[in-house]
């Protein structure tokens, strides 16, 4: 006889072969982008988190994208998808099949320490204690999945997540992105350097700096820069010397290229004296006219001529 986990795996592998009428009656195609690389392509709502539709599940699972980017556990994506887009099989129509307890525990042990560094804890809704053991109930785990030959579609290659571990992996802003199997989704949004953005975002610091090095070590991606000029500093003293900028996610946004000189706008953590780069930060290639522009904008920001703002014109 097959073990419960292996039986589930075989059912998952045959899911796509069911007649259309059978699939339509109980299952629906997986539409959650993060979970399209999973070894199953059919799911059933509501899921284990009580989301009634996949549209609701997408919004909830995307909060874990940054954590997935750290590479904290090779089991994390599988576990999340088993919870948010559970496998649907013809023999288990009343309740979605849960991931095995061991899968949850491996994901939690690898990722909870990372979450705690950012003052988060493992969510109660993903508690491992509520999940079945592999040999005592029906559940799904990576080791039970029957896969076709080829690379593991949801395995996160450490060399891709840590370019410094591979001399063949060039260090530049175009390939320092690590977001697991959905790596192409890691795209930096464009933040225009206009007055409206400057006033709205109220950056803590603005510096002119030359990028010396970009590091992506998974937990704390950083950029090492040589500060040429400090145009604004509100919380942290920024001397004109080498400084480390800390990215808020493994996407490394905004992107910086070593050897280039930039105007950089970001935020400060007064408690840790860190200079931060987040999605809404700005990094523009340096031009001499930028210095006067920023000083003029800063006067507007502090109430001198605020009425001169006209819809974000430069």
């Amino acid at each position: 006889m097959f073990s419960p986990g292996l039986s589930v795996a075989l059912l998952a592998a045959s899911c796509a072969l069911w007649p259309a009428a059978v699939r339509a009656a109980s299952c629906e195609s997986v539409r959650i982008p993060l979970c399209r690389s999973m070894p199953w392509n059919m799911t059933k709502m509501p899921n284990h988190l009580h989301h009634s539709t996949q549209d609701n599940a997408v919004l909830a699972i995307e909060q874990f994208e940054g954590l997935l980017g750290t590479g904290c556990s090779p089991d994390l994506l599988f576990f999340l998808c088993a919870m948010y887009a559970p496998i649907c099989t013809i023999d288990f129509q009343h309740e979605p099949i849960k991931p095995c307890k061991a899968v949850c525990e491996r994901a939690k042990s690898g990722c909870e320490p990372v979450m705690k560094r950012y003052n988060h804890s493992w969510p109660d809704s993903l508690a491992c204690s509520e999940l079945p053991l592999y040999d005592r109930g029906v559940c799904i785990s990576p080791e039970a999945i029957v896969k076709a030959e080829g690379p593991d579609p949801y395995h996160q290659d450490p060399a891709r997540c840590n370019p410094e571990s591979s001399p063949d992996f060039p260090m530049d802003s175009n390939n320092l992105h690590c977001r697991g199997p959905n790596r192409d989704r890691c795209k930096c949004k464009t933040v225009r350097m206009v007055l409206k953005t400057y006033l709205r975002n109220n950056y803590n610091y603005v510096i002119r700096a030359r990028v010396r090095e970009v590091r992506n070590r998974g937990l704390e991606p950083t950029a090492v820069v040589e500060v040429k000029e400090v145009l604004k500093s509100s919380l942290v003293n920024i001397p004109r010397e080498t400084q480390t900028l800390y990215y808020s996610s493994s996407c490394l946004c905004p992107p910086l290229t070593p050897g280039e000189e930039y105007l950089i706008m970001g935020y400060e953590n007064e408690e840790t004296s860190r200079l931060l780069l987040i999605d809404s930060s700005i990094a523009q290639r340096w031009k001499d006219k930028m210095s006067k522009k920023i000083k003029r904008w800063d006067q507007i920001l502090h109430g001198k001529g605020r009425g001169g703002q006209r819809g974000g014109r430069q």
Side-chain angles (χ1 to χ4, degrees), residues 149-204:
E149 293 297 322
D152 191 335
Y154 55 88
H155 173 70
Q156 196 169 52
D157 183 356
R160 282 174 54 190
C161 298
N162 182 6
E164 293 175 332
S165 68
S166 173
D168 298 326
F169 200 112
M171 296 286 287
D172 64 55
S173 60
N174 293 322
N175 53 29
L176 285 179
H177 303 330
C178 177
R179 295 293 280 273
N182 291 280
R183 189 167 172 263
D184 59 332
R185 300 188 68 214
C186 189
K187 296 178 180 178
C188 299
K189 67 179 182 180
T190 300
V191 184
R192 295 182 62 209
M193 185 180 152
V194 294
L195 176 57
K196 183 178 181 179
T197 300
Y198 188 78
L199 296 177
R200 181 182 66 240
N201 291 350
N202 193 19
Y203 298 106
N204 294 142

Side-chain angles (χ1 to χ4, degrees), residues 180-246:
N182 291 280
R183 189 167 172 263
D184 59 332
R185 300 188 68 214
C186 189
K187 296 178 180 178
C188 299
K189 67 179 182 180
T190 300
V191 184
R192 295 182 62 209
M193 185 180 152
V194 294
L195 176 57
K196 183 178 181 179
T197 300
Y198 188 78
L199 296 177
R200 181 182 66 240
N201 291 350
N202 193 19
Y203 298 106
N204 294 142
Y205 75 87
V206 180
I207 59 175
R208 169 191 173 191
R210 180 176 296 277
V211 180
R212 296 179 58 178
E213 187 179 5
V214 178
R215 302 170 179 169
N216 185 14
R217 291 196 172 97
L219 299 183
E220 287 190 330
T222 58
V224 179
V225 302
E226 182 182 349
V227 178
K228 300 290 187 180
E229 184 179 358
V230 180
L231 299 170
K232 179 181 180 181
S233 177
S234 56
L235 301 175
V236 177
N237 178 45
I238 307 175
R240 293 181 58 177
E241 58 184 38
T242 301
Q243 294 287 326
T244 299
L245 311 181
Y246 292 82

Side-chain angles (χ1 to χ4, degrees), residues 8-9 68 85 106 119 122 154 160 184 188 211 239 260 270-271:
V8 169
L68 286 164
R106 292 197 299 263
N119 298 318
W122 190 258
Y154 55 88
R160 282 174 54 190
D184 59 332
C188 299
V211 180
E260 296 291 337
E270 187 175 15
E271 183 179 343

